[in-house]
Every structure is written in structure tokens, then in C-alpha cells.
């Protein structure tokens, strides 16, 4: 990042679909800050307990220690006075207060790096990501490779039917990365078969 500063903070957003390397990129940026001995704190939401609970784990098995929290308020209360860098993974699972918190931290001179899904499994904006992208200084949109055709993939396909909750945490077998042509926003509820009205 090219801002040199005294006490200026900023917000970096890494967004994209599942398997696009958001966690890898977050871990890469945080690791560099660690190596530079910048005091940092890393958080992830409690809702995401797919993998090792106190670590961020990428699909390519890179890991970094993180503190599990349930709300943006918990992050606010955990921030130490000397912290210079704050990383948050799966930020789309936090309450709306996360936007104000990131702004407040950046306002205090902290580098805030967040990663999260910009779209839910139907392709709709995943709140509060749009707000975070708006107030961020840097937005990186990561893309995966479409599991069907190999095109750049910006969407997450849910492969299991019968569950229409926006927040349904699942591992790799429940989702795959798809391009806009191959993505099917709706899933037939009873059989679990993909309901494809584009065919
Ligand atoms: P995200 O946090 O965006 O879900 P991760 O950083 O956890 O992504 O994982 C990215 C890794 O996922 C890639 O390096 C690759 O090893 C793996 N992967 C699995 N499926 C795909 C795909 N369809 N396209 C790209 N990478 C994939
Ligand atoms: Zn495709």
C-alpha cells in the first residue's frame, strides 16, 4: 500500500466469492505486518466455526491466529491502545456496527484490513460489505476460477437445496465458485437439484 503517514489510518477491503483467495490475501498482509513488528490484532466471527476455532484458515491451509468474537462491540472492547493494524476475516457476518467501528479505528490511525464475501449465494450484495467498500481507501476484488467452465468467477454457488438462509456456513462441499454464466441463483428446495432457468 502506498500511503506513507504519521498518524493516518485507512481501511483495506478484500472482497470476492468463496475460494477467491480472500483469506490468503488477508493472511499475507497481516503476516507482513507481523514481520515488521507492527502491533496487530486479528478477529473473526464466532459464526464461522468450520475450521480451527482460534485461527483463520484459508482453503489452501494457510493459517494465522485470531480472536473469536460475536459482535462489533466485542472487537471495540478488545482493541489495545498500542494496536496499529487490525485484521478481520469473514467480515460480512458482523452486524452493521462494524462499519462505524472500522471508520473509528481508521480515524485513530489504525490500518484496518477486512476480508469478506461481497455477494451472498444468490448474487445479492452481502450487507454490510457495500458500506465497507464505500468508506474504504483500498478495495481489492478477488476472483476464483469457475468450477464449471474456468472463467473468472465472482459468485458462490450453493450446492445443497432446502436451505434458503443467507447465512448458512458450509465447507467446500456445499459451495463452489462460479462465473456469471454458470451461476444459478436459485436452488430447487425439495430435491436439492440445481434449478437452472437459463437452460
Ligand atoms: P476465500 O477466503 O476467498 O474463500 P481462500 O483464501 O480460503 O479463499 O482459498 C483460496 C484457495 O482456494 C486457492 O488458493 C485454491 O487453493 C483453493 N481453491 C479451491 N477452489 C478454487 C477455485 N474454484 N478457484 C480458485 N481457487 C480455488
Ligand atoms: Zn463458468
Amino acid at each position: 500500500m502506498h500511503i506513507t503517514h504519521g498518524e493516518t489510518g485507512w481501511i483495506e477491503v478484500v472482497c470476492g466469492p468463496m475460494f477467491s483467495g480472500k483469506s490468503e490475501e488477508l493472511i499475507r498482509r497481516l503476516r507482513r505486518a507481523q514481520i515488521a513488528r507492527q502491533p496487530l490484532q486479528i478477529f473473526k466471527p464466532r459464526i464461522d466455526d468450520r475450521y480451527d476455532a482460534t485461527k483463520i484458515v484459508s482453503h489452501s491451509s494457510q493459517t494465522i491466529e485470531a480472536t473469536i468474537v460475536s459482535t462489533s462491540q466485542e472487537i471495540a472492547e478488545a482493541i489495545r491502545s498500542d494496536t496499529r493494524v487490525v485484521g478481520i476475516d469473514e467480515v460480512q457476518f458482523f452486524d452493521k456496527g462494524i462499519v462505524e467501528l472500522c471508520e473509528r479505528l481508521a480515524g485513530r490511525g489504525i490500518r484496518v484490513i477486512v476480508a469478506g464475501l461481497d455477494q451472498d449465494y444468490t448474487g445479492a450484495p452481502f450487507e454490510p460489505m457495500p458500506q465497507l467498500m464505500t468508506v474504504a481507501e483500498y478495495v481489492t476484488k478477488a476472483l476464483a476460477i469457475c468450477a464449471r467452465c474456468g472463467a473468472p468467477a465472482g459468485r458462490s454457488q450453493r450446492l445443497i437445496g432446502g436451505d434458503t438462509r443467507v447465512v448458512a456456513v458450509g465447507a467446500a462441499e456445499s459451495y463452489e465458485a462460479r462465473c456469471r454464466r454458470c451461476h444459478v441463483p436459485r436452488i430447487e428446495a425439495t430435491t436439492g437439484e440445481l434449478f437452472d432457468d437459463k437452460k
Side-chain angles (χ1 to χ4, degrees):
M1 292 293 118
H2 16 265
I3 298 177
T4 49
H5 63 99
E7 289 298 313
T8 310
W10 64 86
I11 300 172
E12 301 168 30
V13 172
V14 181
C15 66
M18 288 185 67
F19 308 107
S20 62
K22 301 182 301 296
S23 300
E24 280 174 357
E25 180 59 18
L26 179 68
I27 291 167
R28 189 186 74 84
R29 294 183 193 184
L30 293 170
R31 193 75 74 206
R32 288 161 63 92
Q34 261 178 352
I35 290 164
R37 297 183 191 285
Q38 294 175 332
L40 88 176
Q41 288 184 267
I42 306 171
F43 301 94
K44 60 179 255 183
R46 178 158 283 116
I47 195 166
D48 182 13
D49 58 0
R50 284 174 286 178
Y51 309 105
D52 197 333
T54 59
K55 285 187 170 86
I56 294 170
V57 182
S58 77
H59 291 109
S60 50
S61 302
Q62 295 175 45
T63 67
I64 198 162
E65 289 294 326
T67 303
I68 313 295
V69 289
S70 299
T71 61
S72 59
Q73 182 61 30
E74 268 187 62
I75 298 180
E77 287 165 7
I79 297 293
R80 295 186 290 263
S81 58
D82 68 332
T83 292
R84 308 308 305 152
V85 179
V86 170
I88 308 171
D89 200 15
E90 303 283 8
V91 71
Q92 79 279 353
F93 288 140
F94 280 99
D95 53 284
K96 276 187 160 50
I98 197 76
V99 183
E100 199 208 305
L101 174 67
C102 289
E103 288 244 80
R104 224 171 46 231
L105 296 177
R108 263 204 246 158
I110 292 172
R111 175 186 180 193
V112 183
I113 317 171
V114 304
L117 293 167
D118 52 353
Q119 297 176 22
D120 65 22
Y121 73 99
T122 72
F126 209 140
E127 299 291 343
M129 288 302 278
Q131 282 72 22
L132 283 167
M133 290 160 77
T134 301
V135 298
E137 275 76 8
Y138 299 101
V139 177
T140 303
K141 177 128 176 175
L143 294 169
I145 293 170
C146 177
R148 282 277 178 93
C149 77
R155 303 190 182 180
S156 309
Q157 180 72 55
R158 185 176 292 177
L159 300 173
I160 44 169
D163 190 344
T164 52
R165 291 172 302 167
V166 170
V167 179
V169 179
E173 63 273 11
S174 315
Y175 294 89
E176 68 185 22
R178 296 271 183 97
C179 73
R180 61 171 64 246
R181 267 189 71 212
C182 298
H183 180 254
V184 185
R186 284 173 291 158
I187 291 176
E188 210 289 317
T190 48
T191 66
E193 292 298 309
L194 295 183
F195 174 75
D196 191 346
D197 56 7
K198 291 174 192 164
K199 283 188 178 148

